[in-house]
Each structure stands twice: as structure tokens, then as C-alpha cells.
């Protein structure tokens, strides 16, 4: 008999937003059983409500690491799931894994196969009940998925062998392609709707688009779309006991994006032009006096170093003039 779970709304911890990545934010987001169950319904079951929040048991242990006997030695496999849960539907159960992919590398078929295999192997070795495993790959890249989704797409298999070689397929869902009408949880609907709305930063937006959007969703959307100003402003408002104003955040983000676009366009010229542009726009990104020494260092930098400096400034990793000096001069004090 499975354990009954009392549904409770989970709040994402503020500190996690400051220190962690998109993967970590999604882990926190799907620790809400309402988010997770509705997401499964909207993807695997095409919007049919087969799972409720009480039909999901989150697995705190997402470690799929194991050791495989190899003669007198053991081959160690260290694997960790992003999200792992036991789901109950139609008087049966299955293990659900969700893997967030912000970029498509091409090896997802093998990695997902290995995740599933490790869990089966661990349960078999420990003589546990082996439940079927379903893994969802959630892609948050704005580009179309063009990499293999099956073993047959990954390797060259002669047609004569395709009927006898075991195939393995993965279930890929791109956040930008999901139909929000298949989801019933308000946060899931807002997450899909706003991510798709902000895919093109020039999209006309209004206050009505963001009515009732939770802070958690606002921060996750800001992280996915690369609009860090949304995250920053939301955190500031939340720390002060206020509510995040997404429209205000997006307007600032669009302004910053346009400025960054201008920088990237300008620094494609000669090295002298790159250095001059960076020096001119330094106060946009850090508090500095544009001292004579920093101007000289930037002016004498190579094109590669100037490109690296530009990327680090735009990403927010550079905090002051000392960081600039350490980066250009390859000093160990700069950790990026």
C-alpha cells in the first residue's frame, strides 16, 4: 500500500537563486508535487489528468551510481538524476526521471539509457522490485532539437540489422513547443506561456501578461530566457517583502539586451575599436573610475582577451578593475 502524501506548496529558497544553476532551480520547482504531477499529465498523457499531487512520491536519493564487476576489478559509474519520483496510476506504479537540458550536446540518448540502466541494475542487484522507468528530457534551448532521439539515429545500422538490434528512444519535450492548454497547474501554464512569449525580446508585452505570476515562476523564466535582470529585481523585491514586477524587470532586461547587442556589434571591428568600446562602456557594468592603468591594460590587450573580457563583463562575472587586470594578465587571483 502506497503512502498518502499531503499536498503542500513548496517555496524555492532565495539563496538557491543566487548560487545555483537552471538545473538546480528546476529541481526545486519539481519538488512541488502539483508542478510535477501536472507536468507529467501534460506531456506523457497529453493533458489527461491521470496523476494528482498525491500520486507522486519524490525520491530524495537521486544517486544512480553503481559499480559493475569486471573480472577482479569493478567499473564505477557515477550518475545523478535531476529529478526522480515514484508515480502511481491505474493501480500500478512507475519511476519518473526528468532531465533538464539547456543545450543539446548529442549524447543524450546514451546518457539517458545509462541512467535507466543503472537504476535497473541497482534494483536487480539488491533484489528489489523493478518498476518501469520513464525518463522525460525537458529541453529549454530556444533552438530546435536536431540531435538523435534514438540509438538508431545515433549510430549507423544497416537496414538488414534494424529488426534484430535493440533500439532505445528518449522522450524529448521542448519548453518552447509545449501547448500550455494541456496543463492545468497555473504555475506550469505561466512558465510555458511566459517562456514562449519572451523567446523574442522584441515581443510586445503588457501588464496583463504577468497578472498573478508567482515569484518562483518569474525567477525560473528569467533564468531560462537569460534575462538576469528579472531574477535580480525579483530577489530584491522578495528580500524587502515586496512582489516581483515582471513587466518592470523585462523592460530593464530589454534595455540591457539592446546595449549588449550594441557592444557585441561594435567589438567585431578592429582590436583598437574593441578596446575603445569596452573602456567607454565599463561604467555600464561595474563601478570604476577608468583609471589610466586600466585604460592602458585594455588598450594593449589582444583580440582574444578583449573578447573574453567582453563576455565576462556581460555575464556579470567581472566585479571591478582588479578582476579586469587579473583576467587580462592571467593572474590566479581571478577565478571568474
Amino acid at each position: 500500500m502506497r503512502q498518502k502524501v499531503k499536498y503542500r506548496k513548496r517555496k524555492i529558497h532565495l539563496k538557491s537563486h543566487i548560487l545555483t544553476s537552471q538545473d538546480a532551480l528546476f529541481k526545486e520547482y519539481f519538488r512541488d508535487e502539483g508542478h510535477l504531477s501536472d507536468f507529467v499529465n501534460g506531456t506523457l498523457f497529453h493533458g489527461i489528468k491521470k496523476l494528482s499531487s498525491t500520486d507522486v512520491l519524490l525520491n530524495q536519493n537521486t544517486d544512480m551510481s553503481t559499480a559493475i564487476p569486471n573480472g577482479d576489478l569493478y567499473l564505477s559509474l557515477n550518475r545523478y538524476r535531476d529529478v526522480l519520483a515514484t508515480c502511481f496510476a491505474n493501480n500500478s506504479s512507475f519511476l519518473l526521471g526528468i532531465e533538464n537540458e539547456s543545450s543539446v550536446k548529442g549524447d543524450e540518448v546514451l546518457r539517458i539509457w545509462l541512467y535507466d540502466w543503472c537504476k535497473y541494475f541497482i534494483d536487480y542487484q539488491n533484489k528489489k522490485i523493478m518498476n518501469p522507468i520513464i525518463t522525460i528530457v525537458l529541453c529549454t534551448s530556444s533552438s530546435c532539437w536536431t540531435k538523435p532521439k534514438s540509438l538508431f539515429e545515433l549510430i549507423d545500422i544497416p537496414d538488414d540489422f534494424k529488426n534484430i538490434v535493440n533500439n532505445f528512444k528518449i522522450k524529448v519535450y521542448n519548453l518552447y513547443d509545449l501547448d500550455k492548454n494541456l496543463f492545468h497547474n497555473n504555475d506550469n501554464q505561466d512558465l510555458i506561456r511566459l517562456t514562449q512569449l519572451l523567446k523574442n525580446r522584441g515581443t510586445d508585452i503588457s501588464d496583463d501578461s504577468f497578472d498573478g505570476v508567482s515569484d518562483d515562476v518569474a525567477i525560473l523564466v528569467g533564468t531560462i530566457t537569460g534575462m538576469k535582470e528579472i531574477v535580480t529585481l525579483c530577489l530584491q523585491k522578495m528580500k524587502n517583502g515586496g512582489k516581483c514586477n515582471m513587466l518592470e524587470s523585462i523592460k530593464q532586461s530589454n534595455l540591457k539586451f539592446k546595449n549588449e547587442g550594441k557592444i557585441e556589434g561594435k567589438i567585431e571591428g578592429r582590436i583598437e575599436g574593441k578596446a575603445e568600446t569596452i573602456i567607454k562602456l565599463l561604467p555600464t557594468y561595474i563601478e570604476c573610475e577608468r583609471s589610466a592603468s586600466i585604460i592602458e591594460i585594455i588598450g594593449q590587450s589582444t583580440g582574444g582577451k578583449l573578447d573574453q573580457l567582453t563576455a565576462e563583463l556581460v555575464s556579470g562575472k567581472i566585479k571591478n578593475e582588479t578582476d579586469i587586470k587579473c583576467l587580462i594578465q592571467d593572474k590566479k587571483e581571478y577565478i571568474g
Side-chain angles (χ1 to χ4, degrees):
M1 180 178 295
R2 65 184 176 90
Q3 177 184 353
K4 285 289 184 180
V5 178
K6 183 179 179 181
Y7 174 76
R8 60 187 181 280
K9 180 70 175 176
R10 296 177 185 265
K11 292 294 291 181
I12 298 177
H13 298 296
L14 287 179
K15 290 183 180 179
S16 67
H17 296 303
I18 302 172
L19 301 175
T20 55
S21 63
Q22 183 183 134
D23 280 349
L25 292 177
F26 263 114
K27 289 178 184 179
E28 291 284 350
Y29 183 79
F30 283 125
R31 283 176 185 163
D32 182 309
E33 295 90 345
H35 293 163
L36 184 57
S37 58
D38 180 67
F39 187 80
V40 174
N41 290 333
T43 51
L44 297 180
F45 302 131
H46 309 289
I48 300 174
K49 294 183 180 180
K50 290 197 174 184
L51 296 179
S52 68
S53 59
T54 57
D55 294 322
V56 175
L57 288 177
L58 289 159
N59 294 29
Q60 299 301 321
N61 182 15
T62 60
D63 185 359
M64 299 293 104
S65 302
T66 187
I68 305 171
N70 183 18
D72 295 333
L73 302 175
Y74 282 85
L75 175 63
S76 177
L77 292 176
N78 299 316
R79 292 292 181 271
Y80 295 87
R81 289 278 195 178
D82 286 347
V83 177
L84 187 65
T86 303
C87 301
F88 301 90
N90 299 331
N91 297 320
S92 60
S93 63
F94 62 90
L95 280 178
L96 172 76
I98 297 182
E99 299 301 321
N100 172 49
E101 298 290 342
S102 57
S103 61
V104 184
K105 305 175 183 66
D107 64 346
E108 286 78 11
V109 170
L110 295 179
R111 287 195 291 111
I112 300 304
W113 173 79
L114 191 56
Y115 288 146
D116 292 357
W117 182 89
C118 283
K119 179 58 178 171
Y120 284 130
F121 183 77
I122 291 171
D123 288 347
Y124 179 79
Q125 289 291 91
N126 294 321
K127 298 181 179 180
K128 292 183 178 180
I129 296 176
M130 297 174 64
N131 291 312
I133 301 173
I134 300 174
T135 299
I136 293 174
V137 178
L138 176 58
C139 177
T140 57
S141 170
S142 59
S143 303
C144 295
W145 187 289
T146 58
K147 299 297 183 179
K149 295 182 181 180
S150 70
L151 186 63
F152 283 10
E153 295 176 21
L154 183 65
I155 61 178
D156 185 18
I157 300 178
D159 291 339
D160 293 344
F161 289 174
K162 287 186 177 179
N163 290 331
I164 55 178
V165 174
N166 294 326
N167 194 10
F168 182 82
K169 301 178 181 179
I170 59 175
K171 301 181 183 298
V172 178
Y173 299 92
N174 193 307
L175 189 61
Y176 291 95
D177 297 329
L178 293 177
D179 182 357
K180 69 178 179 63
N181 295 315
L182 296 178
F183 300 82
H184 303 280
N185 179 275
N186 290 335
D187 282 347
N188 285 346
Q189 288 183 338
D190 286 340
L191 174 63
I192 296 167
R193 176 176 60 85
L194 293 176
T195 302
Q196 294 174 357
L197 176 65
L198 299 177
K199 180 178 181 180
N200 298 315
R201 290 173 182 259
T203 303
D204 292 332
I205 52 180
S206 64
D207 289 290
D208 294 341
S209 302
F210 309 104
D211 284 345
V213 176
S214 70
D215 294 330
D216 292 347
V217 170
I219 291 173
L220 188 52
V221 169
T223 304
I224 293 170
T225 58
M227 293 186 173
K228 64 180 183 180
E229 284 73 21
I230 295 178
V231 179
T232 301
L233 289 179
C234 282
L235 288 174
Q236 290 174 350
K237 290 289 182 68
M238 292 166 70
K239 285 180 178 178
N240 296 326
K243 180 74 176 176
C244 176
N245 185 326
M246 280 200 71
L247 186 60
E248 175 190 346
S249 305
I250 290 166
K251 286 179 178 178
Q252 292 196 24
S253 182
N254 281 338
L255 179 61
K256 182 77 172 290
F257 178 73
K258 290 177 182 178
N259 289 335
E260 291 170 2
K262 291 177 182 178
I263 293 176
E264 291 172 357
K266 289 178 180 178
I267 64 174
E268 289 177 356
R270 295 174 298 142
I271 291 179
E272 293 84 358
K274 293 181 183 180
E276 182 180 351
T277 301
I278 292 173
I279 293 169
K280 180 179 179 180
L281 295 176
L282 272 182
T284 304
Y285 294 96
I286 62 173
E287 294 184 4
C288 66
E289 299 177 357
R290 284 186 288 196
S291 62
S293 61
I294 203 69
I295 291 175
E296 181 181 359
I297 289 173
I298 294 176
Q300 295 177 354
S301 299
T302 63
K305 279 297 181 183
L306 292 176
D307 289 340
Q308 184 183 359
L309 175 58
T310 301
E312 299 288 271
L313 283 168
V314 170
S315 69
K317 293 182 179 179
I318 296 289
K319 306 299 183 184
N320 48 49
E321 289 190 4
T322 301
D323 283 347
I324 295 176
K325 293 177 182 179
C326 291
L327 182 147
I328 293 176
Q329 296 172 354
D330 291 321
K331 293 184 177 180
K332 294 182 179 180
E333 290 87 343
Y334 178 72
I335 59 175

